[in-house]
Amino acid sequence: MAGEDDVLVEVTGLRKHFALTRGVGFVKETRVVHAVDGVDLTIRRGQTLGLVGESGCGKTTTGRLLLRLLEPTEGTIRFGGEEIQTLDGDAMRALRRKMQIIFQDPYSSLNPRMTVQEIIAEPLLIHGVGTPAERARRVEELLAVVGLAPYHADRHPHEFSGGQRQRIGIARALALNPEFIVCDEPVSALDVSIRAQIVNLMQDLQGEFGLTYLFISHDLAVVRHICDSVAVMYLGKIVEIATKHSLYAQPLHPYTQALLASIPIPRPGRKRAGPLITGDVASPINPPSGCRFHTRCPLAEDICRQREPKLESFAPGHQVACHLVHRPTETIQ
């Protein structure tokens, strides 16, 4: 069993609430969006944790909270055993060299007015790393690492394809030799034929540099390929977390089962078995009482509507938040 020294990122009771104010003058109404509402996560060094769920469930907000690009409303974030939510500006600036992000959209995440040389060298310049000549050599090294040529350094983003742009974004994320990278749906905007190349590149880089990833995605096939463990998120909460082998072989939560059942089978007419869920995700402004999934769950009982389930261990390395899991049915095994 891995010890505490193997844990790079640890999150306890993480919450992020956004206040929404509507109205004009003296007639105003303030409501709260429960974007992330009590998340516990552990990410071990050199591993990849996948964070999956429908759009709007809080995945991207969670990733940005871990980097303190957003300030948490409540909770504890530890990086290498150190609490980071209380660090001041200078200390946090120094820590940012160890944590980076790869953005979802390779088009809007690169400054169109900057050359590739300037884009990749910018983190080095901001943190005062190296001389101009050393930074230029570092850019050349990084371009080679991500599969681009030295002459690409003098070009602008509009001269590249989507896959090449994402390679530039990955090179920028690697510039400061980080330990931890949040990958915010890094292949969702790319053609299917390019996705495998980028995912394989990320795996190669992880092995070469000992990187730790939080891989945010809605593509469960990609998650199965790249991740060691998977956390399933629904309406701001983690409903299930397990090793990928355990999760895909024996999904316990009805929501996880429904997500896996939605993966297409490349054979006409064949469908995966799983519970059928209907309706839309409830509003994070007024989340349902009890289990937040009960409004869409075909198996919901009275206890699901009345009491919120806790995330509990069902088996070694497999946790689930569901009142019905310990009472197996034909659907939940």
Side-chain angles (χ1 to χ4, degrees):
M1 183 175 180
E4 291 185 3
D5 291 343
D6 294 325
V7 175
L8 181 62
V9 181
E10 185 177 12
V11 177
T12 306
L14 187 64
R15 286 181 166 82
K16 181 59 180 179
H17 298 167
F18 295 98
L20 292 180
T21 301
R22 301 191 307 174
V24 295
F26 295 103
V27 183
K28 291 184 178 180
E29 177 188 9
T30 300
R31 298 192 293 176
V32 175
V33 177
H34 299 75
V36 177
D37 211 14
V39 165
D40 297 339
L41 286 176
T42 298
I43 309 176
R44 300 196 178 280
R45 294 180 187 274
Q47 295 194 350
T48 301
L49 173 66
L51 187 59
V52 304
E54 293 170 283
S55 296
C57 70
K59 305 186 301 295
T60 294
T61 301
T62 299
R64 297 189 177 215
L65 287 170
L66 298 193
L67 302 179
R68 272 192 66 188
L69 297 178
L70 294 173
E71 293 296 332
T73 302
E74 186 179 318
T76 301
I77 307 168
R78 292 185 177 88
F79 185 90
E82 179 182 18
E83 290 191 18
I84 71 171
Q85 72 273 16
T86 57
L87 295 181
D88 60 21
D90 291 338
M92 193 63 217
R93 181 187 178 92
L95 183 64
R96 289 199 188 283
R97 294 181 61 169
K98 300 180 181 180
M99 48 174 63
Q100 293 294 316
I101 185 170
I102 300 171
F103 294 98
Q104 175 180 356
D105 187 355
Y107 293 88
S108 63
S109 62
L110 303 179
N111 190 330
R113 293 190 175 93
M114 298 172 70
T115 64
V116 170
Q117 167 77 34
E118 293 169 330
I119 289 171
I120 298 176
E122 186 177 27
L124 301 170
L125 184 63
I126 290 173
H127 287 271
V129 177
T131 64
E134 290 170 338
R135 290 195 288 268
R137 285 196 296 272
R138 176 62 173 160
V139 170
E140 188 173 330
E141 292 172 0
L142 290 167
L143 286 174
V145 163
V146 299
L148 296 175
Y151 63 83
H152 287 136
D154 296 324
R155 297 185 178 182
H156 288 79
H158 72 272
E159 300 178 73
F160 296 91
S161 67
Q164 289 175 318
R165 289 181 186 219
Q166 198 60 294
R167 290 175 186 267
I168 296 167
I170 292 171
R172 177 177 59 185
L174 294 174
L176 292 168
N177 292 316
E179 297 179 40
F180 175 58
I181 299 180
V182 172
C183 311
D184 186 8
E185 302 203 36
V187 297
S188 65
L190 305 179
D191 292 340
V192 175
S193 60
I194 304 300
R195 292 183 185 183
Q197 297 177 22
I198 298 300
V199 169
N200 290 336
L201 171 63
M202 293 177 64
Q203 285 186 304
D204 293 341
L205 295 174
Q206 184 175 37
E208 182 175 354
F209 299 110
L211 300 171
T212 303
Y213 293 145
L214 174 67
F215 193 89
I216 299 169
S217 181
H218 62 267
D219 189 330
L220 292 168
V222 172
V223 168
R224 185 173 192 173
H225 179 72
I226 193 174
C227 296
D228 299 291
S229 301
V230 184
V232 181
M233 198 167 189
Y234 184 81
L235 205 60
K237 289 186 174 291
I238 302 297
V239 298
E240 188 167 1
I241 184 168
T243 64
K244 70 174 179 183
H245 301 293
S246 180
L247 188 89
Y248 282 82
Q250 189 183 26
L252 298 175
H253 198 282
Y255 181 61
T256 307
Q257 294 175 357
L259 288 179
L260 294 179
S262 69
I263 301 175
I265 297 178
R267 292 184 183 179
R270 287 199 60 185
K271 296 182 179 180
R272 299 181 189 272
L276 178 65
I277 60 173
T278 58
D280 297 323
V281 180
S283 171
I285 296 176
N286 186 26
S289 59
C291 175
R292 297 193 173 183
F293 185 60
H294 84 257
T295 57
R296 303 173 70 195
C297 181
L299 307 173
E301 299 181 0
D302 288 341
I303 189 174
C304 304
R305 303 177 183 91
Q306 298 166 3
R307 184 158 59 88
E308 182 178 330
K310 295 180 180 180
L311 192 65
E312 298 178 328
S313 294
F314 180 83
H318 198 149
Q319 295 177 291
V320 62
C322 180
H323 294 299
L324 307 180
V325 164
H326 297 287
R327 291 179 290 157
T329 66
E330 293 181 357
T331 305
I332 303 181
Q333 301 175 356

